[in-house]
Each structure stands twice: as C-alpha cells, then as structure tokens.
Amino acid sequence: MIVEQSDYSSLRNGILNGTPSVLNLVSDYLKRIKEYADLNAYITVFDEWAQEQAVEVDQKIRGNKDLPLAGMILSIKDNICIRNSRVTCGSKMLGEFSSLYDATVIERLRDAGAVIIGKTNMDEFAMGSSSENSHFGAVLNPRNTDYVPGGSSGGSAVAVAADLAIAALGSDTGGSIRQPAAYTGVYGFKPTYGRVSRYGLVAFASSFDQIGPFARSVYDTALLLKTISGYDLSDSTSVNLPVPDYTGNLTRDIANIRIGLPEEYFTQDLQENIRVVIDKKIQHLRENGAQIEKISLPHTEYNIATYYILTTAEASSNLARYDGARYAYRADNVADLKDMYTRSRSEGFGEEVKRRIMLGTYVLSSGYYEAYYRKAQKARRLVKEDFDKAFSRVDCIITPTSPTTAFRLGEKIEDPLRMYLSDIYTTSANLAGIPGFSIPAETDQNGLPIGMQLLGKQFDEQTLLNVAYALENN
Ligand code: GLN
C-alpha cells in the first residue's frame, strides 16, 4: 500500500518547471484518493475546486510569482473552516453546515500557492485517540489496515502516510497530531500555544487547541510551520512575536545541545521495542555531540487527570452552541423548545462527545468546581513549572510519543479510560503550552511505526526541528 514517497522539497523544482504541472499533480492525487477510498481518510474531496486552484497556481508559476508552497497538495482536518465548504468535525451535528469564511491558516497556505484537495476524517469534535469516533466511520492505518491510525487527526495522518496528499494540517489538544503521526510513521508538529492562529478552528478546549502540520520530512514540516505561524488580529491568543526562518535556520549541527530524558516517561508501561529504538536514536545524538542527561518531571502522574478535567470543562462550554437552533442538525417532531434542545443534542452528538459534555458540566457545577476544576488548574500550573525547571537545564526533552505502537481497531473503543492512556506522553505539552514534535523512528516487526517525541521551550520550535533534522534518515 505504501508507495515510494517524495516530500514537497524534492518535487518543487519539477513543479516550478511545469513537470508535472500542478493540474496533473492534482489529477494524480484525486485518482489515488479514489483508489484508496477504503482507508476512509477523507470526508470531503474537492474534485472540481482542487483543479481550479491548480490552474490558478500553474498560471502564477508561469508568471514567475514567488510561491513558497507552489503546488503543495494539502489535506485539511475537517474542523478547520474553508469558505463555502462543509465543516463536519466528524459529527452528525454539523451535517451539511458550510463555513462562511476561511480559517487564517487556510488564507496563508493558499496565498503561498498550496492547493487544498480535501477535508480529512477525524474523531468527532477531535475527541479520541484512534479516529474510530467519527460519524463517517473509522479511519484505517495504511501500514496495516487491522490497526487504528491514531487520533483524533487520523485522516490527515493517513493522507500523508498513504500519499493521498503531500502534507496536511491537523489540530492537537492533547496529542491529536503527534499520536497519529507516530502510529502512521510521519512527522507531526504541535506548535507552542499562540504560535499559530486558531481563527477558523472549531474549538474543542480553547486553552489547549493548536493547529499544526503533518509532513514526510523535517524540511516540509518547517516550511509549513513557517507559513502558518504568526500573529493574527482575529485570534486574541495568538502571540505577536516574529516568526523565525525555520527552513533557513535548519541545521544538523547539534553539538552542545542539551537533551533531557524524563524518568517518568520511561517506565514499565512503555512497550519494550519503543524503548530500544529511542535508546538507539539517543545514542546517535550523543555521538554527534549532544549532551544527554536524566531529568525529572515530578507531576507527570497528574497529566491525564488534569487534562481530562480541564478539557472536558472547556468542551462542555464550547459545545453548548450546538443546540439545534444555530447549526445544521435539528431533531424532527419536537414538542417544545426544551425537547428540541434535548433531542437535537442527544441525536446529533456521538457517545464520546456526550460523555465529555457530562463530565465537563459535572466538574464545573457549583458543588464540585473547587474540588475538580480549581484543583486541576493548580495542577496545570505545577506541570508547567516542572517544564520551566527542566528547561533551565536542557534545551530539548525526548520521550516516546505513545506508550505503544498502533493498537487494533476495536481494541479500546469500549474502554474510554484505556483509550485516554494512549495520550499519557502527549497531554503535558498542551497543559504547559510548549511545542511538541513527533518524528518517525523505526518500524517494528509487524510493520507498525514507532514515534519519538521532542518537547521544547515555548516558542523554540527551531531547536526541535534541528534535533529532528539531525536524526532524519539516521
Ligand atoms: N486523544 C485526546 C483526547 O481525546 C487528544 C485529542 C486532541 O488532541 N484533539 O482528548
């Protein structure tokens, strides 16, 4: 299933010379998307519009317009808005609802010459770790179709892994870019909170959500990150800091970089072959001059509980807007207003979303607010302080992305707590607002990829890209 894959950087010269034309490239991708429809990676494919975009970009190329992403064929997670096209969030609730405007990231990508080919399948409202919680059916892992691709941005990860797009965007609230990147063997970057505008991203947990790229190389990741990053007046949480030249500054020279290995992330629960592969990578970094030291992030054990209290609280508030009145789905034959709200929400949302709305409402209720929500906010602060301390000693932290490789379809869907634990190494970056990068390490004996996670200081995406660059193809 997996074909010989090129990244954008190696296709770019050809594209700029018209071989292939962007239009031909789009046609090839549209064909492949149909051929591999069983993977269920896409919810919407823009057959016509993608070709229109391609014609436009081909014209601009002929006019010698400088387009850093000319002809980069992209797929976009279906919780990111594109004007006049439906945005489902993998939910029945949004039905045919179509967006009135482009997300800021979409504007930036299109201005740079990228072509958007479709919207990808995902866990409903980005809640999940396997891409099985979708109204549009489960996504399959192209490395082995008995296994999940991870979630919630599973469709985007699969699009990149199976070459159904050159690169993609996903969103990451607690690991939804990094974990599926690890399970499918591609690169997935969650930027620092505030680095990339969330304008036009449907909110799950607003103080955790970030948009980020999936790609097949470090260079492509850096290129995409550079394009989508930066201050945006429309998002008050976006940060007004200059965006470094991530591609221009890429270097494999990591001599003197200090790397920390947190003992809490390398415990009994970690699958043995993942530990072995990460050890090898660390050895490589050491041989190239990096200083490796053991560190401690003592509040790690509270990550999952803190994450699930705070994100469900935020989600219960964010999802209150889907009431049957404002967006697509409304139950039939309702008796009165209250019946309309109740039945529209009961029928429009799936199980996992309802579970989280109930949990979130509970932790915010007046009797439990102090005991859960307030306490979790304090725990979030402690997790952040652990990282502040660690980053006074090291420049980059290395961990596994997930405690296991991809699991089988259906294996965890009945057991939400077990499902939640697959995010045990990724939620901390969102709690602390720091950048996290999952990079493909090796493939195990079953053909399942192993991912390794790099964590960095706030707004220091560059160090993570450079460490990844030093490890690429090694
Ligand atoms: N799997 C995590 C969850 O279900 C993370 C989701 C995400 O990052 N969007 O909450």
Side-chain angles (χ1 to χ4, degrees):
M1 156 126 340
I2 303 296
V3 290
E4 204 38 61
Q5 296 177 334
S6 331
D7 71 342
Y8 175 71
S9 312
S10 52
L11 294 169
R12 181 170 163 86
N13 273 336
I15 294 174
L16 294 182
N17 292 321
T19 49
S21 68
V22 181
L23 186 59
N24 279 339
L25 199 58
V26 163
S27 312
D28 287 349
Y29 274 103
L30 288 171
K31 249 183 253 147
R32 274 190 69 79
I33 291 173
K34 291 210 177 76
E35 201 177 326
Y36 293 107
D38 288 351
L39 295 173
N40 210 11
Y42 282 88
I43 291 176
T44 304
V45 179
F46 297 126
D47 283 271
E48 259 173 53
W49 185 50
Q51 297 181 59
E52 286 165 24
Q53 295 172 71
V55 169
E56 251 173 63
V57 174
D58 276 328
Q59 260 165 16
K60 288 184 184 159
I61 291 174
R62 281 195 298 273
N64 282 325
K65 193 160 188 276
D66 179 28
L67 297 172
L69 303 185
M72 188 192 246
I73 313 294
L74 293 181
S75 62
I76 305 290
K77 187 178 184 179
D78 206 16
N79 59 352
I80 298 174
C81 293
I82 298 180
R83 195 174 130 86
N84 294 333
S85 79
R86 72 177 178 159
V87 47
T88 69
C89 293
S91 182
K92 176 178 171 187
M93 184 55 105
L94 279 157
E96 291 300 315
F97 174 78
S98 146
S99 174
L100 299 173
Y101 61 92
D102 277 337
T104 299
V105 292
I106 299 296
E107 273 179 9
R108 291 187 179 173
L109 292 169
R110 295 208 50 222
D111 286 348
V115 170
I116 292 161
I117 202 158
K119 302 292 292 290
T120 55
N121 204 349
M122 55 182 281
D123 284 305
E124 187 178 2
F125 285 102
M127 298 173 184
S129 311
S130 65
S131 298
E132 295 169 291
N133 294 332
S134 168
H135 176 59
F136 300 88
V139 185
L140 308 185
N141 191 327
R143 310 281 174 182
N144 183 332
T145 51
D146 294 332
Y147 289 79
V148 302
S152 63
S153 318
S156 287
V158 169
V160 177
D163 200 18
L164 309 179
I166 296 179
L169 289 190
S171 69
D172 190 311
T173 304
S176 280
I177 292 175
R178 291 160 286 156
Q179 188 252 26
Y183 286 8
T184 58
V186 300
Y187 290 90
F189 204 114
K190 182 206 90 79
T192 307
Y193 185 78
R195 179 54 103 187
V196 175
S197 168
R198 290 182 295 114
Y199 182 67
L201 168 69
V202 177
F204 160 12
S206 315
S207 76
F208 292 73
D209 302 339
Q210 269 292 285
I211 295 173
F214 288 94
R216 292 200 281 264
S217 68
V218 177
Y219 192 92
D220 282 9
T221 308
L223 191 61
L224 274 167
L225 197 61
K226 188 162 100 174
T227 311
I228 62 174
S229 290
Y231 180 59
D232 178 16
L233 259 178
S234 307
D235 173 5
S236 62
T237 61
S238 83
V239 173
N240 198 351
L241 276 178
V243 178
D245 180 2
Y246 295 129
T247 48
N249 297 340
L250 264 188
T251 169
R252 292 198 166 85
D253 178 8
I254 47 143
N256 301 322
I257 289 220
R258 298 164 304 170
I259 290 175
L261 306 176
E263 54 181 347
E264 294 82 0
Y265 286 62
F266 294 89
T267 61
Q268 309 288 358
D269 306 324
L270 177 60
Q271 199 174 291
E272 189 51 30
N273 59 349
I274 300 182
R275 182 196 311 273
V276 170
V277 166
I278 293 184
D279 277 350
K280 258 203 271 180
K281 298 285 171 190
I282 288 167
Q283 193 50 33
H284 178 82
L285 293 171
R286 189 180 278 127
E287 283 159 13
N288 284 277
Q291 299 167 32
I292 315 284
E293 61 176 281
K294 291 226 157 56
I295 58 163
S296 173
L297 297 166
H299 295 93
T300 299
E301 61 176 306
Y302 303 110
N303 286 355
I304 288 285
T306 307
Y307 171 84
Y308 276 96
I309 290 170
L310 295 177
T311 56
T312 55
E314 291 189 27
S316 71
S317 163
N318 275 325
L319 271 60
R321 70 190 67 168
Y322 307 103
D323 56 4
R326 278 174 274 201
Y327 295 89
Y329 186 74
R330 180 180 296 174
D332 286 335
N333 305 322
V334 293
D336 53 26
L337 186 64
K338 191 164 170 233
D339 191 38
M340 182 194 76
Y341 288 153
T342 313
R343 286 196 23 230
S344 299
R345 286 169 68 80
S346 304
E347 293 165 21
F349 288 135
E351 288 304 302
E352 183 61 25
V353 173
K354 284 189 266 195
R355 180 179 298 122
R356 298 209 191 182
I357 291 174
M358 286 192 287
L359 254 172
T361 311
Y362 178 80
V363 300
L364 286 176
S365 59
S366 60
Y368 294 99
Y369 183 89
E370 289 292 326
Y372 292 105
Y373 185 72
R374 277 274 294 217
K375 213 177 235 159
Q377 280 190 312
K378 290 180 185 160
R380 186 179 195 178
R381 161 66 54 175
L382 294 173
V383 171
K384 167 77 170 54
E385 285 171 1
D386 281 357
F387 279 109
D388 290 345
K389 253 183 235 151
F391 285 125
S392 68
R393 292 174 47 196
V394 299
D395 308 302
C396 172
I397 293 175
I398 290 185
T399 80
T401 306
S402 185
T404 66
T405 44
F407 44 91
R408 282 178 184 275
L409 284 154
E411 191 180 323
K412 299 190 181 174
I413 196 76
E414 302 300 335
D415 187 348
L417 284 181
R418 267 185 75 213
M419 185 76 89
Y420 295 173
L421 288 174
S422 61
D423 300 315
I424 192 152
Y425 302 141
T426 47
T427 53
S428 55
N430 308 72
L431 285 163
I434 59 174
F437 191 11
S438 181
I439 66 175
E442 248 172 59
T443 301
D444 75 4
Q445 62 284 4
N446 302 318
L448 296 174
I450 290 172
M452 175 168 137
Q453 176 176 238
L454 313 177
L455 298 172
K457 294 177 192 161
Q458 282 188 329
F459 300 102
D460 186 19
E461 280 79 6
Q462 190 73 56
T463 297
L464 306 189
L465 291 164
N466 290 351
V467 173
Y469 204 44
L471 285 169
E472 196 169 27
N473 307 322
N474 275 304

